[in-house]
């Protein structure tokens, strides 16, 4: 009984990862109680919108081609975007004492977090949520400033209507903490440790986390070079879909995505 098997079956890995998800879901439930998530309702949406002109029609035409939203959905998303920017502006701190708040030209990180929490039920570890924010397009080099309308739509297209390939690439980018194209043992350790440390009663979970890292690495590291490339990750997820969010939730549930899209289209018709 003391010896370890030379290889782990997919079913054994699945059972172990289900154990990881129990830990993560327990942390998620606790976080939900802390943030007091409220359902999205028309009554609570701000009535004012951002002043200024809408993007040129060619922007909408381009987004119809490059995303999975139709024209009506894009119009509804633009209305939502303007309201979110208004909310960001209303909470922005003043640029200096006695001066008005600095203009927020897009969706800021705090507003983005609120949307992920309240609208898409993405109650996850702060490291994961930070990484989700970083991976969305902002600025010419990415990761800069507020989230503009086009980037907002492209990101939502992946989260809500993305193909398996797009969802896989999104999760990989979130887990690749230093954005070097590989998920290493150290990154896996940090991701799992951040999740497990939130559980009460765990004094020193490091040893257990290391065991989980080795377990998951055996399934993800297809070419056995000690780290996980996107190609490794893609092949592993194709064989075992549970591995897609092995290190924490970074996608809305299908239920939340469907509910949001239904609301989007309902509001569009009203």
């Amino acid at each position: 009984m003391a010896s370890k098997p030379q290889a782990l079956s997919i079913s054994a890995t699945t059972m172990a990862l289900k154990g990881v998800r129990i830990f993560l879901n327990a942390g998620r439930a606790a976080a939900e109680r802390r943030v007091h998530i409220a359902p999205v309702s028309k009554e609570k949406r701000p009535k004012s919108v951002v002043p200024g002109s809408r993007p040129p029609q060619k922007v909408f035409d381009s987004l119809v081609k490059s995303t999975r939203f139709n024209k009506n959905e894009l119009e509804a998303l633009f209305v939502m975007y303007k309201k979110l920017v208004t909310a960001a502006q209303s909470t922005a701190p003043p640029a200096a004492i006695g001066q008005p708040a600095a203009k927020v030209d897009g969706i800021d990180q705090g507003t983005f977090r609120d949307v992920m929490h309240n609208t898409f039920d993405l109650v996850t570890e702060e490291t994961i949520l930070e990484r989700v924010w970083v991976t969305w397009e902002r600025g010419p080099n990415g990761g800069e400033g507020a989230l503009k309308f086009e980037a907002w739509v492209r990101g939502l297209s992946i989260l809500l209507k993305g193909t398996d390939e797009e969802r896989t690439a999104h999760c990989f980018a979130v887990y690749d903490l230093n954005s070097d194209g590989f998920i290493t043992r150290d990154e896996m350790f940090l991701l799992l440790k951040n999740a497990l440390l939130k559980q009460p009663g765990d004094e020193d979970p490091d040893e257990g986390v290391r065991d989980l890292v080795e377990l998951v690495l055996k399934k993800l590291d297809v070419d056995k070079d000690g780290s996980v490339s996107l190609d490794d990750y893609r092949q592993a997820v194709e064989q075992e879909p549970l591995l897609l969010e092995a290190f924490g939730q970074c996608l809305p549930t299908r239920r939340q995505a469907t509910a949001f899209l239904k609301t989007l289209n309902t509001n569009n018709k009203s």
Side-chain angles (χ1 to χ4, degrees), residues 180-231:
D180 68 348
F182 297 92
I183 305 174
T184 64
R185 276 186 174 88
D186 289 342
E187 287 171 329
M188 293 180 193
F189 179 83
L190 288 173
L191 289 165
L192 288 175
K193 183 176 180 180
N194 284 338
L196 296 178
L197 277 177
K198 292 184 178 182
Q199 311 311 315
D202 285 343
E203 295 180 0
D204 184 12
D206 285 12
E207 192 62 35
V209 174
R210 290 191 185 95
D211 290 341
L212 287 171
V213 167
E214 293 305 316
L215 177 69
V216 179
L217 187 61
K218 286 182 179 180
K219 297 309 301 180
L220 291 179
D221 185 14
V222 176
D223 60 10
K224 308 303 177 186
D225 65 351
S227 62
V228 179
S229 66
L230 177 57
D231 190 53

Side-chain angles (χ1 to χ4, degrees), residues 62-71 73-74 77 153-154 156-167 261:
S62 174
L63 288 172
V64 168
K65 296 177 182 178
S66 62
T67 71
R68 290 176 176 78
F69 294 117
N70 59 42
K71 291 182 179 179
E73 288 171 333
L74 288 173
L77 286 173
V153 172
R154 284 192 290 266
L156 287 182
S157 180
I158 294 173
L159 257 63
L160 301 173
K161 296 188 174 187
T163 63
D164 289 343
E165 171 63 25
E166 288 172 334
R167 288 159 59 87
L261 290 171

